[in-house]
Amino acid sequence: MNDVVSPAIIAASLTEYWSPKVVAELDDSYVKVAKVLGTLVWHHHEFEDELFYILKGSLTIEMEKRTVVLQQGDSFVVPKGVRHNPIAAEECHIMLIERKSTLHTGDKQTEKTRSLAEQLTPVK
């Protein structure tokens, strides 16, 4: 993973929603991109922060104590342990930076949950 990548182009090429793909590694973290639409699931990551960066569109992140709305070019860190629920009313392309130990849907397993092996599968 030592190549020049375009997160925006890779995210746009994805065909499945809520299925992040690893595009780079940084120390003990992965850089991932995803195409999202609708609601993921209320979940938390007990030991890991999660950075969201909006490549295209808008993303709402519900949390128990507040809700943030992110637009293209915005970023936001969900602190470890905070329950959150990402929602995209329209198709949105995102980049995530999170530790390699971060589970896709944290403490929840749903039909949208993707394993690390699936996330590491090369984009075609």
Side-chain angles (χ1 to χ4, degrees), residues 3-7 10 23-24:
D3 294 322
V4 174
V5 296
S6 173
I10 295 169
V23 297

Side-chain angles (χ1 to χ4, degrees), residues 29-84:
S29 296
Y30 284 128
V31 178
K32 302 176 182 181
V33 296
K35 186 182 283 187
V36 300
L37 178 64
T39 301
L40 183 57
V41 65
W42 277 97
H43 67 284
H44 76 278
H45 309 282
E46 187 172 356
F47 301 109
E48 302 97 359
D49 296 332
E50 183 175 31
L51 182 139
F52 289 81
Y53 179 83
I54 308 307
L55 299 165
K56 177 183 172 187
S58 175
L59 184 73
T60 299
I61 303 176
E62 295 179 324
M63 295 168 280
E64 292 177 332
K65 295 187 178 180
R66 71 187 250 200
T67 296
V68 296
V69 178
L70 307 173
Q71 304 295 333
Q72 183 173 326
D74 290 344
S75 64
F76 180 77
V77 175
V78 176
K80 62 184 159 218
V82 172
R83 288 186 72 237
H84 59 286

